[in-house]
Structure formats: C-alpha cells, structure tokens
Amino acid sequence: ARTALQVLIDEKLIERSAELGEYFLATLKAIKSPVIKEIRGRGLWIGVELTVAARPYCERLMQDGMLCKETHDHVIRLAPPLVITRDEIDWAVEKLKKVLS
C-alpha cells in the first residue's frame, strides 16, 4: 500500500488526473447530442448522463473497443487509467461522439 501511494506521489498522478480530467470534460461537453442530459466529473472519473437507457450505448462502445459501465440506468461511467494520454482521450471522445450522435 505504501509503495502504491508513493507511485501516486512520485508520478504526480493526482495532478495529472485533475489536468486531464478537465481536458476530457471540456472535449466531452463539446459533443452535441439530443440524448446527453449532463456531463459531470471529478478528475478522470466522469459520468455522461443520458435521457435514455445507457446500456445500449455502452454495448456499442464495447464493440468499438472502448470499455465503460452504465450506472443508475442512464449514466455512462468513464474511469480511465491515471496514465491515459491526451491522444487516448481524443480517441475515446471520437468513439463517444460517433455512438451518441
């Protein structure tokens, strides 16, 4: 446990989560879709609340190579690893844009 905490500190993963989380949220909020009700998050923990059931969208994303989880029936939960890159976030946003549009 101590080693894991030391990695979080040494690699500045908390700061990275905050910075990339802001970027991820901003790019997600640019998606225009009638099924998106709200997009919220803290760091890299992000929820995309829909006006319809989220499970079919999660299944389509899985077919496109992106894993996510529906929660509370109408929310797509995104929880990428702390080592995600901007390029990988851009890739994920394109997948989400394709599926939600």
Side-chain angles (χ1 to χ4, degrees), residues 21-32 36 39-40 46-48 66 78 89 92-94 96-97 100:
E22 284 180 30
Y23 175 74
F24 205 170
L25 278 173
T27 56
L28 287 173
K29 288 180 178 182
I31 297 174
K32 303 298 179 213
I36 295 176
I39 298 173
R40 58 186 176 269
I46 296 173
V48 179
M66 183 174 160
L78 305 172
I89 289 172
V93 170
E94 286 305 312
L96 283 156
K97 189 183 302 183
L100 293 172

Side-chain angles (χ1 to χ4, degrees), residues 27-62:
T27 56
L28 287 173
K29 288 180 178 182
I31 297 174
K32 303 298 179 213
S33 170
V35 297
I36 295 176
K37 180 177 180 181
E38 180 184 16
I39 298 173
R40 58 186 176 269
R42 184 170 210 160
L44 286 167
W45 285 88
I46 296 173
V48 179
E49 185 174 357
L50 306 179
T51 58
V52 296
R55 185 171 185 98
Y57 292 93
C58 291
E59 290 174 357
R60 280 188 244 154
L61 286 164
M62 182 179 63

Side-chain angles (χ1 to χ4, degrees), residues 45-48 54 58 67-72 75-79:
W45 285 88
I46 296 173
V48 179
C58 291
L67 295 179
C68 55
K69 171 81 172 106
E70 87 282 348
T71 184
H72 302 290
V75 178
I76 298 173
R77 182 188 314 164
L78 305 172

